[in-house]
Amino acid sequence: MKTFRPYLSWIPFTFLLLLAQFASAQDNRCFLIGGGSAETFFVSENATVGSVIGVLRIAGDPSADGDITMRLEASNETVVSIDTHSKNLTLIKALDKEGLTGPAQVMTRITCERRGPNAELSLTIPVNIRVTDANDNSPIFRNSTYFINISESTIVGSVVLQGIQALDADQPGPYSTVQYSILAGPYSDVLGFASSLEGTLVLKKAVDYETLKHFKIAIRAQDQGQPPLYTDAVVSIDINDADDQNPLFGQSRYWAHLPQPAQKGIGLEIRPEPMRAVDQDAGINASIRYAWNAGGAEYQDFFLDPLNGSVYLNRSLEDNELVQPVILVVKAHQVDNLDRYALTTLTVSRSWSFSPQLQYLQRRYSVQVLENVPVETIILAMAINKPIDQTIRFVMESHNGTDQAFSVDTMGEIKLERALDYEAQMTHHFVVWVTDGLTVLFTTSHRIIRLVTVKCLQNDTATVEVTVLDVNDCDPRFDLAEYEFIVKESALPVGSIIGHIRADDGDAADRVTIQLKGPESRAFNVHENGDVIFSDPSALNSTVIHLMAVARDSGIPPRQTSVPVKINLPVDFLMMNGSGITLSTADGSGLLLIILGILLGILSLIISGLAVYLCQYKRKKTQPSPLTVVQPQPKVSVGGLYSGDTSTPITATLRRIPINPLARPSCRRVVPIQSPTLSTVHNSPPPPPMPPPTPPPRQQQQQAASNHHHNNKISTSGSGSNNNEQSPPPGPCPHHPRTFLSSSQPGAWPTDASLPRRIKKLSWEDEFNVFF
């Protein structure tokens, strides 16, 4: 124990030394807590200056008594600062994601130095400050005020303005998505946006220049932030006048006295003011022209200036002329649109023709009215010799119910009460009373029931005749929906009647004419009474004719109706009436026959050509084409099995061996029979005869016909040989090169081959047997 006691005193010191080394090894001051080499902060662009945007994750104590010291790298664009003796980063300059009022991203570095042990070590840590978007920008209209011109004739739903746009400077997303709307206010219902996301204005309500010439609306563009930011703008709308109003006279009626003396060319003084009409479309203000609206005899005495509406005497009038006042109807129409016009009346009379007694200026009125005039239309204004006031009353006298179609108001104007019909009644006659109130009238709805006269001097009557003018409002009507005529006579003379077509019109004054139309319509005519007459046989191309009967009336504008017409002729009608079938562009029957004839001729040529080809092919097939070799002397032996007269011809036929049709269907090659080698007969023992080959089933029938060739015995060389003796089996057949057999090719038959004198001729049928 005493031996180890000096060493035990070193143990505490050694432990402390190791602990100090371990502590030194684990010194992580100025490193990022949690690891990493850089610090990143996400800061909203609306962060206020002076606010803490983040705390650094640096290990160590930066306080006054701490073990580390941190400082920010100096820069001209310093955005943040480090609080003294802390790890807080403070914003000292505003940020802006769009980069307009501040930086959109900040990159800086923090230097961390250690205090105490290892003080010489320092670390630099990059700090990345990323700015996030905030809804800090309002949408801005490109124009503060928009101007639109809209015609009052613009149809509701039409686009009146495109291109309204407001831009939001925020980053793409909900903060920069703009929605458009119209603010509530006067006329806000006139226009509207086609889509809240698109700056297109459409007309929502009809506008009228005469009632509204100009107005403004307010529009708004806002983003989708919470809360949203918005901007307002103004749209100024001017309404343009359209030609939708008729001209208007200053007065509903005018009057004038004849001058004294009534000389030609003198102008009439028209009262209560000069007769003028203006275009109610003030924005257009079209030029006006004046003309008489009728052409009666009374109009011939006066001249109407078409430019200013002044009236002059067209001739000098005697004192006994124009005793009764006349009413002239004046029409004022626009120069650029004759359909826009106005009517008024001018009453012309002599100054002494006025009497203190109440009376009509004209005892008989005649007016013409179209049957399609709308109800509530004023067709006539009756004039009296006194001003019309509240004491004057006009009453219509009932006459066979005619007055039910018309009525008279307190101003003496005749108004249409129900629709007119020319076909039902062409004229209407009725009487209109006028009274100043001194005559008691028992009436109902301005119609007289009973008249009790208190004083007969203050009333008058006038007769009104209304002539209804016809309007073409009915179409012609056939009595049948389809006509079919059957002609049984083969020889039909020209002028014969083959049928009757009838058409009527609901308009009584219209005259209906019927006409046939079609490719063969020249062959027939329709008489005024509706008879269908055969007129021209040369125009016929077939025996079944299809036409259209067209009925046209004489109304204005004319109306027409059509129905199909079918005419059946006998088969021999064309021949009997001297008309041949001609080629017609409308009827293709003749063309069809010609085409069929051509096709039949071509088909006949094809069949004839095939027949000739088959006959030639069959003739070639029946004629043999052998290759013959005639061997003169000496005697030869074929394969050692044949000897005899060498003058006997040896016949060979080329055999065509088919190639695999699947590999090359169109390819055939000709393989000749192997040419035998001719040799001189030697006296050697012949080999035993080969057994005859068994013919295939197809050749058994042909074998019976060729048995006479086998009746001739074939002898072998050597007189002492016996045919029945057995001989050793023959060896393998030698290989001979393939050569074509030719009569000019010398040589000898081989002694080790066996060939008959005649080789069977093969035909194409054998080749087909190989295939099938």
Side-chain angles (χ1 to χ4, degrees), residues 377-677:
T377 301
I378 297 175
I379 63 173
L380 177 64
M382 307 182 71
I384 58 176
N385 62 346
K386 289 186 177 182
I388 299 177
D389 54 19
Q390 59 183 359
T391 63
I392 302 298
R393 296 185 60 191
F394 295 90
V395 181
M396 185 179 296
E397 181 179 347
S398 178
H399 180 70
N400 297 329
T402 301
D403 60 315
Q404 295 179 2
F406 306 93
S407 64
V408 60
D409 58 12
T410 57
M411 299 300 294
E413 296 176 339
I414 306 299
K415 185 184 298 184
L416 183 64
E417 292 293 334
R418 61 175 175 83
L420 301 176
D421 187 5
Y422 175 84
E423 288 71 29
Q425 189 172 353
M426 299 181 184
T427 58
H428 297 265
H429 298 85
F430 52 89
V431 176
V432 179
W433 287 72
V434 61
T435 178
D436 57 0
L438 300 179
T439 301
V440 181
L441 304 174
F442 295 91
T443 64
T444 300
S445 300
H446 299 284
R447 291 178 173 85
I448 297 176
I449 298 177
R450 183 162 55 93
L451 175 63
V452 178
T453 302
V454 177
K455 188 176 181 180
C456 299
L457 298 178
Q458 298 298 319
N459 60 73
D460 197 8
T461 60
T463 303
V464 179
E465 179 183 5
V466 179
T467 302
V468 181
L469 301 180
D470 189 20
V471 175
N472 191 17
D473 54 357
C474 295
D475 293 328
R477 296 186 299 272
F478 288 92
D479 57 348
L480 296 177
E482 180 179 2
Y483 291 89
E484 182 175 5
F485 304 113
I486 300 176
V487 178
K488 298 181 179 180
E489 299 179 4
S490 299
L492 187 66
V494 175
S496 300
I497 299 176
I498 63 173
H500 182 79
I501 299 176
R502 179 181 178 183
D504 298 320
D505 196 296
D507 298 318
D510 290 351
R511 185 175 60 87
V512 179
T513 58
I514 302 176
Q515 183 181 5
L516 294 177
K517 293 185 178 181
E520 299 173 289
S521 59
R522 293 188 299 106
F524 305 94
N525 289 326
V526 180
H527 196 264
E528 293 182 356
N529 59 4
D531 292 337
V532 180
I533 302 173
F534 180 58
S535 60
D536 186 5
S538 63
L540 295 177
N541 291 328
S542 62
T543 58
V544 178
I545 299 106
H546 295 274
L547 304 173
M548 293 296 294
V550 180
R552 183 184 181 95
D553 60 20
S554 58
I556 301 177
R559 293 172 177 260
Q560 66 181 23
T561 308
S562 60
V563 296
V565 177
K566 180 179 180 182
I567 301 175
N568 298 305
L569 303 175
V571 178
D572 56 347
F573 184 85
L574 299 177
M575 183 179 299
M576 297 298 294
N577 288 271
S579 62
I581 297 178
T582 59
L583 185 60
S584 175
T585 57
D587 186 0
S589 58
L591 180 61
L592 181 61
L593 292 176
I594 293 176
I595 293 174
L596 290 177
I598 293 174
L599 292 178
L600 290 176
I602 295 173
L603 184 60
S604 300
L605 293 177
I606 293 174
I607 294 175
S608 302
L610 289 176
V612 172
Y613 174 76
L614 292 176
C615 292
Q616 293 179 356
Y617 173 75
K618 187 174 181 182
R619 184 177 305 165
K620 291 180 181 180
K621 179 179 177 183
T622 55
Q623 294 178 358
S625 58
L627 296 177
T628 306
V629 178
V630 179
Q631 298 290 342
Q633 47 189 335
K635 295 183 180 180
V636 296
S637 174
V638 180
L641 297 179
Y642 171 77
S643 64
D645 188 4
T646 59
S647 63
T648 304
I650 299 176
T651 304
T653 305
L654 295 180
R655 179 185 178 189
R656 292 177 173 83
I657 301 176
I659 305 299
N660 183 5
L662 298 179
R664 296 180 62 186
S666 61
C667 179
R668 297 178 183 271
R669 63 189 181 95
V670 179
V671 180
I673 295 179
Q674 179 177 337
S675 176
T677 303

Side-chain angles (χ1 to χ4, degrees), residues 115 119 157 187 193 235 274 284 331 492 497 544 565 572 613 664 681 735 743 753 760:
R115 300 177 188 174
Y187 314 113
F193 283 100
V235 180
I284 299 177
K331 178 181 180 180
L492 187 66
I497 299 176
V544 178
V565 177
D572 56 347
Y613 174 76
R664 296 180 62 186
V681 178
H735 174 74
S743 59
K760 177 181 177 293

Side-chain angles (χ1 to χ4, degrees), residues 112-254:
C112 178
E113 299 178 350
R114 298 177 180 178
R115 300 177 188 174
N118 300 323
E120 69 278 3
L121 296 178
S122 64
L123 295 176
T124 300
I125 301 172
V127 177
N128 183 11
I129 301 175
R130 297 185 179 181
V131 182
T132 60
D133 191 26
N135 190 22
D136 59 342
N137 293 293
S138 301
I140 303 299
F141 283 101
R142 289 190 171 183
N143 300 324
S144 60
T145 303
Y146 294 88
F147 297 93
I148 309 176
N149 291 322
I150 303 176
S151 174
E152 63 176 341
S153 61
T154 303
I155 301 175
V156 174
S158 301
V159 175
V160 297
L161 179 61
Q162 288 181 321
I164 296 178
Q165 187 177 15
L167 301 179
D168 196 311
D170 290 323
Q171 295 297 306
Y175 298 152
S176 61
T177 301
V178 180
Q179 290 182 330
Y180 302 93
S181 61
I182 295 180
L183 300 181
Y187 314 113
S188 61
D189 58 340
V190 178
L191 301 179
F193 283 100
S195 172
S196 61
L197 299 177
E198 182 182 1
T200 300
L201 284 176
V202 298
L203 187 64
K204 296 289 186 180
K205 185 178 179 181
V207 293
D208 184 16
Y209 176 84
E210 285 70 33
T211 59
L212 181 63
K213 296 179 175 60
H214 177 79
F215 64 95
K216 295 181 179 181
I217 60 173
I219 59 176
R220 171 170 293 179
Q222 69 178 21
D223 57 27
Q224 297 183 1
Q226 296 296 332
L229 301 180
Y230 60 86
T231 303
D232 296 338
V234 176
V235 180
S236 178
I237 300 99
D238 290 325
I239 307 299
N240 296 332
D241 196 10
D243 192 9
D244 60 344
Q245 299 289 329
N246 291 323
L248 180 66
F249 281 99
Q251 301 292 329
S252 60
R253 64 182 65 189
Y254 298 88

